[in-house]
Amino acid sequence: MKNFTYVMPTSLEQVVELLPGPRDLKTRDRVKVLAGGQDLLGELKEHLVEPEQVVNLKGVPGLADLRPQASGWQIGALVTLAALEENTSLRASHTMIAEAAGSVGSTQIRNQGTVGGNLCQRPRCWYYRHEQAVCIKKGGAECFAYGGLNKYNAILGGGPSYIVHPSDLAPALVAAGATALIRGKKGERTVELERFFTLPSEGAVTRENVLAPDEVLVRVDVPAMAGWKSTYVKFRERSSYDFALAAVAAALKLDGGKVTEARLVLGGVAPVPWRCEKAEKALVGRKLDAETCRVVGELALEGAEPLAHNAYKLPLAKGLIAKALTKLASA
Ligand SMILES: Cc1cc2nc3c(=O)[nH]c(=O)nc-3n(C[C@H](O)[C@H](O)[C@H](O)COP(=O)(O)OP(=O)(O)OC[C@H]3O[C@@H](n4cnc5c(N)ncnc54)[C@H](O)[C@@H]3O)c2cc1C
């Protein structure tokens, strides 16, 4: 690990003051913010990032607040995954968020890992994580996974990079219609969480979200979901702790056994949480039977282009959708 200076500011003003300028794209990584450190410390030790300065967010008051509101929930960037998992009111109103948080890694990782860190964590693709592989995510010319070992990579939305977004929380928060409160040198802005994440073909290929170099994620606001039922269903290779091979966040409103509103977002299959709008529309007016699960699964995975080693994700994701819908039908 390269030496760096370590600072612990006590206000958001001080944090953004320490960050590079908004257009300082090439040297943005010379300052990194630290939350729980579950991802950043690994990146530092493996020389994936070599900042001159590390700015710990933990001295900023209020960032760890988890607040129920009449309009929903305010979730500060430093709220831990364990706090989301364990909050019984949140579990009752937004089951998929508590379930997604509870599916992350191990107890230790959930105790230490934060919402901001989970949403802003970097890809887990092993080419990206290999110090000597200068892949397209690290400013190189190509995505080595495309023609290489791509068992864990994207089947939807890939190109020119084929990473999958590693966050379990992201699909659940997108399905809940959450917004991100962002703070930069020019002040605050709000972005729908669905628009917070960027496809490699849309934004800078070396980034996964819209944060400018001078910006930090401050809070996630989740609207109330009265009358909705929801769940997060994840499949992982190792049951003790692991990232999703595929996952689904599903939320439904039902009336007399028929769906009146639906949200469906896939994890582990694309470089962003993958919203399945066609499938959501197809769900409305239907009963949750085997035929609905089949139709919705087909529509959700429409356009999927598996690579050499990950075609298994297609039936896997369809199966998880069916499992989630069946669970909600009997909830
Ligand atoms: C063994 C292992 C297993 C794991 N399994 C899973 C899993 O199953 N599912 C899953 O979702 N994750 C998994 N993770 C990832 C883990 O959940 C995340 O690394 C963790 O949540 C990150 O949170 P943190 O607070 O520790 O972030 P940090 O490591 O402190 O930060 C992560 C990144 O986000 C940036 N950052 C942090 N906070 C902010 C902010 N407020 N604004 C802007 N940028 C910010 C940092 O600069 C850094 O680049 C696993 C990690 C490990 C080590």
Side-chain angles (χ1 to χ4, degrees), residues 289-311:
D289 54 19
E291 177 58 7
T292 297
C293 292
R294 191 193 63 75
V295 169
V296 168
E298 290 299 326
L299 288 172
L301 274 299
E302 204 176 79
E305 290 181 359
L307 303 170
H309 307 292
N310 66 8

Side-chain angles (χ1 to χ4, degrees), residues 45 53 59 62 67 82 105 124 174 189 221 253 258 265 299 304:
K45 286 180 188 169
Q53 192 165 57
R67 291 209 187 101
R124 283 280 155 181
V174 168
R189 65 181 176 121
D221 290 338
K253 262 187 169 177
K258 283 191 177 169
V265 182
L299 288 172

Side-chain angles (χ1 to χ4, degrees), residues 23-88:
R23 287 186 229 293
D24 201 359
L25 297 173
K26 284 201 174 137
T27 52
R28 62 185 300 163
D29 282 345
R30 71 187 163 78
V31 184
K32 291 297 290 181
V33 297
L34 172 72
Q38 299 284 288
D39 188 34
L40 185 63
L41 292 193
E43 288 222 305
L44 295 174
K45 286 180 188 169
E46 287 152 26
H47 300 274
L48 300 179
V49 280
E50 298 194 316
E52 292 157 19
Q53 192 165 57
V54 169
V55 179
N56 192 343
L57 295 177
K58 291 212 165 146
V60 179
L63 284 187
D65 290 352
L66 173 60
R67 291 209 187 101
Q69 310 271 304
S71 57
W73 288 83
Q74 290 187 342
I75 306 175
L78 287 183
V79 168
T80 62
L81 300 165
L84 293 185
E85 177 191 9
E86 288 160 11
N87 189 298
T88 48

Side-chain angles (χ1 to χ4, degrees), residues 32-33 35 39-40 43 57 77 114-123 128-129 165-167 169-170 180 182 193 196-197 207-211 215-218 220:
K32 291 297 290 181
V33 297
D39 188 34
L40 185 63
E43 288 222 305
L57 295 177
T114 65
V115 170
N118 189 266
L119 297 178
C120 298
Q121 63 176 301
R122 303 307 313 276
Y128 170 78
R129 292 278 159 175
H165 201 284
S167 168
L169 207 49
I182 294 168
L193 202 64
F196 177 79
F197 300 101
R207 314 300 305 173
E208 293 81 46
N209 59 54
V210 298
L211 288 179
E215 289 181 323
V216 284
L217 178 64
V218 177
V220 175

Side-chain angles (χ1 to χ4, degrees), residues 127-256:
Y127 294 106
Y128 170 78
R129 292 278 159 175
H130 195 292
E131 187 186 338
Q132 272 138 30
V134 187
C135 70
I136 195 165
K137 270 274 154 203
K138 291 188 286 198
E142 62 177 301
C143 175
F144 299 127
Y146 182 67
L149 297 173
N150 46 44
K151 177 177 172 184
Y152 301 113
N153 292 81
I155 57 170
L156 285 157
S161 155
Y162 289 82
I163 61 133
V164 292
H165 201 284
S167 168
D168 279 304
L169 207 49
L173 288 172
V174 168
T179 52
L181 179 68
I182 294 168
R183 175 76 175 253
K185 290 193 199 291
K186 286 188 211 143
E188 285 183 350
R189 65 181 176 121
T190 305
V191 178
E192 280 175 54
L193 202 64
E194 193 178 346
R195 313 263 163 256
F196 177 79
F197 300 101
T198 48
L199 281 170
S201 56
E202 288 172 349
V205 71
T206 52
R207 314 300 305 173
E208 293 81 46
N209 59 54
V210 298
L211 288 179
D214 66 319
E215 289 181 323
V216 284
L217 178 64
V218 177
R219 204 176 70 210
V220 175
D221 290 338
V222 180
M225 295 189 80
W228 289 80
K229 294 175 180 185
S230 69
T231 189
Y232 185 74
V233 179
K234 164 177 175 179
F235 187 83
R236 52 192 170 180
E237 206 167 28
R238 199 171 32 178
S239 59
S240 54
Y241 66 94
D242 218 340
F243 292 88
L245 293 181
V248 58
L252 299 178
K253 262 187 169 177
L254 291 156
D255 186 14

